[in-house]
Amino acid sequence: MSQPIAAKPRAVSKRTIPWNVIPFAAIVATMVLLALAAPLVAPVDPDTQNLLARLKAPGTVSRGITYLLGSDELGRDVLSRLIHGARVSLLVAFSSVILSGIVGSALGMVAAFYRGWIEVLIMRLVDIVLSVPAILFAIITVAVLGPGLVNVVIVLALTRWPRYARVAYGQTLSVANMPYVRLARFMGAGWPRLLGRHILPNIAGSLVVVATLEFGLMVLFEAGLSFLGLGVQPPMASWGAMLSTGRNYVATAWWIATFPGLALFLLVLSINLIGDYVRDRLDPKAR
């Protein structure tokens, strides 16, 4: 009597990072490392002026300093300012994403958990903030608070928290009716434990996806505010401020605006592509 043929075990699929995402992840990692080690890797102080070497082309040597990416209108090294500008852009983006994520997620979960007038109040406030164009709201707010690094972070957080609130609100509504949440409530768990222990871990994936996609937008917003003179103030290096200065010298010193613009383009593109990968990776339907 023939023995039944044993079924072959299924090969366990291992999710790996796609090859087309690795270069962009390397770009982001490189910029983060350069930003963290900016004082160590920058060739010179980004605020050091050398009027004898103003508007020098890339590769020029003046007074013992090699300007690999050229110099600006005050003779400052573009490469050094580019590296220190990466620190400003990443710091503002990271801080604003964390702050807006915490505020928006907390308000969204509270609105979905308590319902009633609290839900109406919070969600109508979300609708009001979202009805105003984000960049216009940021410009108005920073004009009231004043320019500066800290104020830019606060402004961007105030501008973008409704995005997290809506996602947290919708996800909490679906999770709050799960059996384990109702059981925990029946056993006497308070609302801080229900939200922090039982609901937040189950909606964190969606919030991480939003944060990843928002990160690149925060970089653009910071550059836009600095370009308009409402962001980081001179002499602190900022990609947006460098673009604003470089537009006056596009015909004679193209490198002042080209290299910050290229760095901004590569960083935002890389973050957006990584955000798409994270979204697909955390999407339950893709598993």
Side-chain angles (χ1 to χ4, degrees):
M1 187 173 180
S2 60
Q3 297 292 332
I5 300 176
K8 294 183 179 180
R10 289 185 178 181
V12 179
S13 61
K14 295 182 179 180
R15 291 179 177 265
T16 57
I17 300 178
W19 64 269
N20 55 346
V21 177
I22 295 178
F24 299 103
I27 290 175
V28 175
T30 300
M31 290 190 178
V32 170
L33 291 177
L34 289 176
L36 293 175
L40 301 177
V41 299
V44 295
D45 190 306
D47 300 328
T48 300
Q49 300 181 12
N50 181 11
L51 297 181
L52 295 177
R54 62 187 303 269
L55 301 179
K56 294 298 183 181
T60 301
V61 179
S62 177
R63 298 177 64 179
I65 300 175
T66 302
Y67 298 93
L68 294 177
L69 299 184
S71 60
D72 62 7
E73 78 284 1
L74 296 177
R76 296 172 297 189
D77 183 34
V78 172
L79 176 58
S80 299
R81 295 186 64 78
L82 194 67
I83 294 174
H84 282 265
R87 165 177 281 195
V88 172
S89 296
L90 292 174
L91 176 61
V92 170
F94 182 79
S95 301
S96 58
V97 164
I98 293 296
L99 184 57
S100 60
I102 292 175
V103 174
S105 301
L107 291 177
M109 287 191 297
V110 168
F113 186 79
Y114 279 104
R115 310 298 295 270
W117 67 270
I118 295 180
E119 175 190 19
V120 174
L121 178 63
I122 294 177
M123 298 315 295
R124 293 300 76 78
L125 180 61
V126 168
D127 293 336
I128 292 173
V129 176
L130 290 178
S131 65
V132 182
I135 188 64
L136 178 61
F137 185 74
I139 291 174
I140 295 174
T141 309
V142 80
V144 174
L145 297 178
L149 182 63
V150 177
N151 287 346
V152 169
V153 173
I154 296 175
V155 166
L156 294 181
L158 291 176
T159 303
R160 302 306 298 176
W161 69 265
R163 180 82 181 274
Y164 298 91
R166 277 200 165 179
V167 174
Y169 173 76
Q171 294 293 319
T172 303
L173 284 178
S174 60
V175 174
N177 293 322
M178 292 293 181
Y180 63 88
V181 177
R182 294 201 302 265
L183 179 61
R185 182 182 296 182
F186 177 76
M187 297 296 293
W191 68 268
R193 181 179 179 86
L194 288 173
L195 293 179
R197 182 73 179 272
H198 300 286
I199 294 179
L200 181 59
N202 290 280
I203 69 173
S206 300
L207 296 175
V208 168
V209 172
V210 175
T212 306
L213 297 175
E214 284 284 302
F215 193 91
L217 190 61
M218 293 299 98
V219 174
L220 285 178
F221 275 8
E222 184 278 326
L225 291 175
S226 297
F227 182 86
L228 296 174
L230 298 174
V232 177
Q233 296 299 294
M236 185 177 293
S238 171
W239 290 350
M242 294 175 70
L243 286 171
S244 179
T245 301
R247 64 177 175 170
N248 300 321
Y249 301 94
V250 172
T252 56
W254 54 267
W255 52 87
I256 299 178
T258 299
F259 292 118
L262 183 60
L264 188 63
F265 166 76
L266 289 176
L267 179 59
V268 175
L269 175 64
S270 301
I271 292 174
N272 287 342
L273 292 176
I274 294 174
D276 290 340
Y277 166 73
V278 173
R279 179 190 59 195
D280 296 338
R281 185 71 172 82
L282 297 179
D283 186 5
K285 297 180 181 179
R287 297 178 183 176

